Amino acid sequence: MHDPDLIPAGIVRCSPDARIEAVNATMLRWAGRESVSELTGRPFYSLLSPAGRIYFETHIRPMLQVEGHVQEIALELQTPGGERRRIYLNGQAERDEGGAITALHLACFSGGHRQSYERELLRQRRDAEGYVALVKSSADAIINTDVDHRIVGWNAAAQALFGYAEAKVAGRDWREVLLDGADARGSDENAVRSDGDAVRAEAEARHANGSRVAVEYHSSPIMDGSGDRLGMVTVVRDIRERRAAEETIRALNQEVVHRSKNQFAVIQAIARSTARHSSPYDFVEIFSNRLNALARNMSLLEMQASSALELRALADAQLDHLDEGLRARVSVDGPSVSLDEHTALYLGLALFELSTNALKYGALSQNARESGGVAVSWTMDGGELALDWVETGVRGVSAPSRAGFGSRLTGVLLERSTNGAVSADYRPGGLVWRYERKMKGES
Amino acid sequence: MTDVLQRHDVRTTGAGDRTLVLIHGYGCDKTMWDAVIPLLQSDYRIVTYDLLGCGASDISQYDKTRYATLDGHASDLVDIVTALELDRPVLVGHSVSAMTATLAANRLGERVGAVVMVCPSPSFINHDGYVGGFEPEDIDALLETLDANYLGWSSEMAPAMMGTPDKPEHCERLTNSFCQADPDIARHFARVTFRADHRADVAALPHDALVLQCRDDVIVPEQVGAWMTANMPAAKLVTLDATGHCPHISYPRETADAIRQFLEG
């Protein structure tokens, strides 16, 4: 019989409760002990690292007791000095005729290199799984192709963006699937020109349902360790939102130019008419008042950050130049009405003119009694706006002798530019002015 | 509710006025109780089941968020007790599952009769003034050991464990994969088990409780038993004439006797 001390493996015999009864010389050496008596009676787990102890007691010992054997369990021995040795453990329970365990036979094989190799394998497997999860859960569409641009991988985001399932497009040239001929050629040229380097471009890609998707794509070569090209990975981003934002900025720019041209035309008209209907001494004051009215309209529009304006806000803004006592004699009442920018501009100027007229000649002037006032009110009926400016308490009202620019602003100019109708009636108690207009698509 | 019984492969055997629910610990499955059951089933109704992720449970239902703490397992236990309409059962938990039983008992209150803890530990990791037996590094090393056996478990271990033609009943059990778990789940459960700290939950357990300890239990140092009786309202400590961490496998007679004595007073 072979001498067990010469076997290149650690051999241990244990009692049924896993206490050491005998060991060979190899085991003794690996355990870092001098004599067998140091080990006999000790639990086998005491030869293991702390982690190994947990593993042995929770897994290995129950398995030995229930199943009778274990094989190729990776563990670490630990000497009293703290030195560790990676081993594989095989174990076999010996039973008596009644099935009761009489001894446990354990064999430890040195396995450091193999364990390192296996750990490296596991690390690589986890890495690979990590990358797969990364690609799968990416919010960007990721297309993996071979060197000939044929689709190998197609993640969930790509399916969501383009409507094709991976199985539908696998093996096809991704450029033919998603890009028009011109784009496909373009990216081909890029690829050739850049000689395997990354390609970045924007394109109108095709969705499975035939619609267009504005995208930006970035293709990079996949190289292996020795520099050989294995394929390409293409990340595709949906840039429809970015495109829409760019479009909005462009439209806003055009709008700004358009509006300022209009403003200049209006200012020019105001200047010309004010000059025609006022003395050189009054010109600056009247002109700048009218410009202020215009400016108030503009700042209101800006505050609302849209091209629609609340009628009440417009009326309040144009009455803002009155002092507190006078402002209290003007009532403003009406439902919420949203005006487009154009109507607001001209109606605002008209309200300003009405208020300055009232101040000079009408219900808010020396010609009126203290009880004199203005009721500004409006109704919306079946999409028709009717706004009334009703002055009361004026003594000796008479229609103005000549039609100045002011009356053009509250009359023909407002009618023409907003497609509305104006009536002005100078009654004994004061001016009754009415503006009516059909509102488009407003309730 | 019958879903939960299927999901955990819940088995009922024996007959008696009282019901014992046996909960296996980390590492194996409900077959760990096989040696104890014959010794108790003539006097008690016995329920066993597999923790989710172990044994014959529906592994597809393992949700790492739900089972990120023992609370998920405790909810399962509550569901099982409720589904079976058990009348004040005795929850018997091994090792980490003694904590699962504690959490469930704290939730069920008077609907649980008593708690038996076999080699329990409220925290395997040492804290100031508390000896759990391990440092956090040891637990990290355990996870590495599991990794080292990852490839082995999934390929070579299974056929090797099947090869016991002389014991057909073992073969049957092996197909139920004794001590075999999906390696990812085993790793996850190991982390949950060995990093948990349930000292506060144990200290709040109002139920009569039996703490069973063994000598030379490398997983649970003797100080843990002393800590538990000192900090629990109604715990009784019994040290078995047994060694190791799994007396229900190695010393089924002693384990069964201690449980019976505790219940019959």
Side-chain angles (χ1 to χ4, degrees):
Chain A
M1 182 61 195
H2 205 288
D3 179 355
D5 286 342
L6 297 178
I7 297 173
I11 310 291
V12 187
R13 193 182 73 228
C14 291
S15 63
D17 63 352
R19 284 169 185 282
I20 297 169
E21 290 178 345
V23 300
N24 71 349
T26 309
M27 191 69 236
L28 191 65
R29 200 170 66 245
W30 287 357
R33 313 290 170 134
E34 297 292 323
S35 76
V36 176
S37 63
E38 284 180 64
L39 291 180
T40 45
R42 299 176 69 96
F44 175 76
Y45 69 66
S46 62
L47 304 186
L48 301 173
S49 66
R53 294 174 184 194
I54 299 178
Y55 196 58
F56 186 82
E57 290 294 303
T58 53
H59 289 77
I60 312 309
R61 202 169 147 197
M63 284 173 73
L64 278 170
Q65 275 163 331
V66 174
E67 301 308 328
H69 56 93
V70 295
Q71 243 160 351
E72 294 180 66
I73 308 297
L75 289 169
E76 272 186 322
L77 297 175
Q78 185 174 327
T79 67
E83 204 181 310
R84 293 191 183 183
R85 173 188 295 269
R86 287 177 177 171
I87 55 140
Y88 286 96
L89 176 83
N90 285 354
Q92 180 75 48
E94 185 183 331
R95 295 177 191 273
D96 64 17
E97 282 145 11
I101 293 173
T102 54
L104 301 173
H105 301 284
L106 306 176
C108 305
F109 303 91
S110 196
H113 293 304
R114 190 176 137 193
Q115 282 193 29
S116 303
Y117 172 71
E118 288 190 352
R119 278 169 207 231
E120 177 61 16
L121 271 184
L122 181 63
R123 197 185 59 75
Q124 287 185 5
R125 187 199 281 191
R126 288 227 167 96
D127 274 359
E129 285 167 356
Y131 283 119
V132 168
L134 202 89
V135 169
K136 271 190 180 162
S137 54
S138 166
D140 289 326
I142 297 180
I143 304 167
N144 185 11
T145 59
D146 63 15
V147 283
D148 299 320
H149 303 282
R150 285 189 299 252
I151 295 165
V152 180
W154 178 266
N155 72 350
Q159 176 166 355
L161 186 56
F162 300 117
Y164 297 103
E166 187 176 27
K168 268 257 160 74
V169 293
R172 292 173 60 194
D173 187 323
W174 77 273
R175 299 164 305 174
E176 277 168 19
V177 175
L178 294 182
L179 306 179
D180 282 331
D183 278 321
R185 273 198 304 280
S187 72
D188 233 7
E189 282 163 20
N190 281 342
V192 170
R193 194 176 53 227
S194 53
D195 193 25
D197 289 341
V199 176
R200 182 176 218 131
E202 290 188 9
E204 292 288 320
R206 261 192 309 267
H207 187 278
N209 66 16
S211 66
R212 293 281 160 174
V213 185
V215 296
E216 175 193 76
Y217 65 88
H218 195 155
S219 296
S220 330
I222 307 168
M223 304 291 193
D224 69 8
S226 53
D228 283 338
R229 191 158 147 180
L230 302 176
M232 300 284 283
V233 59
T234 301
V235 179
V236 190
R237 275 193 198 111
D238 182 352
I239 56 167
R240 280 175 293 187
E241 269 184 33
R242 196 182 88 198
R243 283 270 173 91
E246 287 168 356
E247 199 55 48
T248 305
I249 290 171
R250 229 189 331 271
L252 281 175
N253 271 333
Q254 282 172 357
E255 182 70 14
V256 166
V257 172
H258 174 73
R259 279 192 201 185
S260 43
K261 276 186 187 161
N262 279 353
Q263 293 294 323
F264 281 122
V266 170
I267 291 166
Q268 217 165 29
I270 292 174
R272 208 179 289 127
S273 288
T274 308
R276 200 181 306 141
H277 299 289
S278 61
S279 74
Y281 310 105
D282 300 335
F283 175 80
V284 171
E285 194 193 339
I286 299 175
F287 180 64
S288 63
N289 283 343
R290 282 172 177 160
L291 280 190
N292 281 339
L294 197 62
R296 275 194 292 276
N297 274 0
M298 293 316 297
S299 38
L300 264 184
L301 277 168
E302 192 183 51
M303 256 160 53
Q304 303 244 334
S306 80
S307 50
L309 200 74
E310 216 8 78
L311 176 51
R312 171 175 296 276
L314 181 74
D316 285 341
Q318 295 303 353
L319 296 168
D320 199 39
H321 63 98
L322 299 173
D323 71 39
E324 219 172 294
L326 291 173
R327 178 64 183 82
R329 285 158 67 180
V330 183
S331 66
V332 177
D333 185 34
S336 167
V337 174
S338 178
L339 299 174
D340 63 83
E341 181 199 351
H342 188 72
T343 306
L345 172 67
Y346 285 95
L347 191 53
L349 286 171
L351 289 173
F352 176 73
E353 283 304 320
L354 287 167
S355 69
T356 51
N357 278 336
L359 202 56
K360 281 193 242 168
Y361 316 110
L364 306 175
S365 71
Q366 304 293 335
N367 302 333
R369 286 182 283 272
E370 282 291 300
S371 60
V374 183
V376 185
S377 64
W378 60 89
T379 56
M380 276 294 288
D381 190 12
E384 187 156 319
L385 170 70
L387 184 146
D388 290 302
W389 175 282
V390 179
E391 299 187 20
T392 50
V394 186
R395 290 177 289 241
V397 181
S398 57
S401 52
R402 59 190 181 120
F405 181 60
S407 66
R408 284 172 60 82
L409 278 177
T410 61
V412 64
L413 214 62
L414 177 62
E415 285 185 320
R416 279 193 207 145
S417 54
T418 66
N419 218 1
V422 170
S423 61
D425 186 5
Y426 291 88
R427 292 186 190 167
L431 169 67
V432 173
W433 181 90
R434 187 178 181 91
Y435 169 75
E436 287 172 306
R437 197 203 140 190
K438 205 142 191 95
M439 304 289 279
K440 279 175 290 179
E442 278 146 327
S443 55
Chain B
M1 272 314 246
T2 53
D3 274 5
V4 74
L5 304 183
Q6 229 159 42
R7 208 159 50 238
H8 292 275
D9 192 36
V10 176
R11 305 286 175 97
T12 305
T13 181
D17 292 338
R18 307 194 72 171
T19 302
L20 310 185
V21 182
L22 310 182
I23 312 138
H24 72 84
Y26 166 74
C28 280
D29 56 42
K30 64 176 172 309
T31 56
M32 282 190 113
W33 298 105
D34 283 2
V36 172
I37 291 171
L39 306 174
L40 292 170
Q41 65 184 358
S42 53
D43 301 313
Y44 304 99
R45 186 178 173 214
I46 292 172
V47 174
T48 58
Y49 71 97
D50 287 321
L51 295 179
L52 210 107
C54 305
S57 69
D58 182 355
I59 288 171
S60 70
Q61 299 294 307
Y62 195 81
D63 172 349
K64 283 187 180 167
T65 313
R66 177 178 168 90
Y67 298 107
T69 65
L70 293 181
D71 281 317
H73 294 290
S75 297
D76 290 344
L77 176 52
V78 168
D79 288 348
I80 288 167
V81 168
T82 309
L84 293 174
E85 297 175 1
L86 301 181
D87 177 27
R88 280 169 294 134
V90 179
L91 306 183
V92 184
H94 172 233
S95 192
V96 67
S97 291
M99 296 307 117
T100 300
T102 299
L103 296 175
N106 278 337
R107 273 199 237 167
L108 287 165
E110 287 177 1
R111 289 165 60 201
V112 165
V115 177
V116 174
M117 307 183 172
V118 183
C119 301
S121 177
S123 169
F124 294 97
I125 293 179
N126 300 325
H127 299 275
D128 275 346
Y130 171 87
V131 179
F134 296 91
E135 293 298 329
E137 304 85 84
D138 298 330
I139 303 310
D140 293 341
L142 170 69
L143 297 178
E144 265 193 42
T145 301
L146 291 176
D147 278 350
N149 286 290
Y150 186 114
L151 295 168
W153 277 128
S154 49
S155 51
E156 291 155 38
M157 279 306 292
M161 288 192 353
M162 297 294 223
T164 45
D166 52 322
K167 293 243 165 68
E169 78 277 11
H170 278 200
C171 281
E172 171 62 26
R173 196 153 63 203
L174 283 170
T175 54
N176 292 337
S177 61
F178 173 77
C179 274
Q180 273 257 76
D182 176 285
D184 275 332
I185 295 177
R187 196 171 198 281
H188 186 248
F189 189 31
R191 194 178 313 170
V192 171
T193 296
F194 290 103
R195 290 191 177 154
D197 181 355
H198 290 287
R199 285 177 293 164
D201 299 300
V202 169
L205 182 73
H207 302 74
D208 283 338
L210 170 65
V211 176
L212 278 185
Q213 270 205 321
C214 295
R215 288 177 283 106
D216 270 334
D217 180 351
V218 71
I219 311 288
V220 184
E222 263 181 57
Q223 294 98 309
V224 172
W227 185 93
M228 291 182 82
T229 43
N231 287 278
M232 291 171 63
K236 191 183 157 209
L237 176 68
V238 169
T239 303
L240 290 175
D241 184 18
T243 61
H245 186 58
C246 300
H248 49 320
I249 295 178
S250 316
Y251 304 90
R253 170 69 57 195
E254 290 81 349
T255 306
D257 286 350
I259 293 174
R260 190 190 305 274
Q261 228 168 48
F262 167 70
L263 295 178
E264 308 308 327

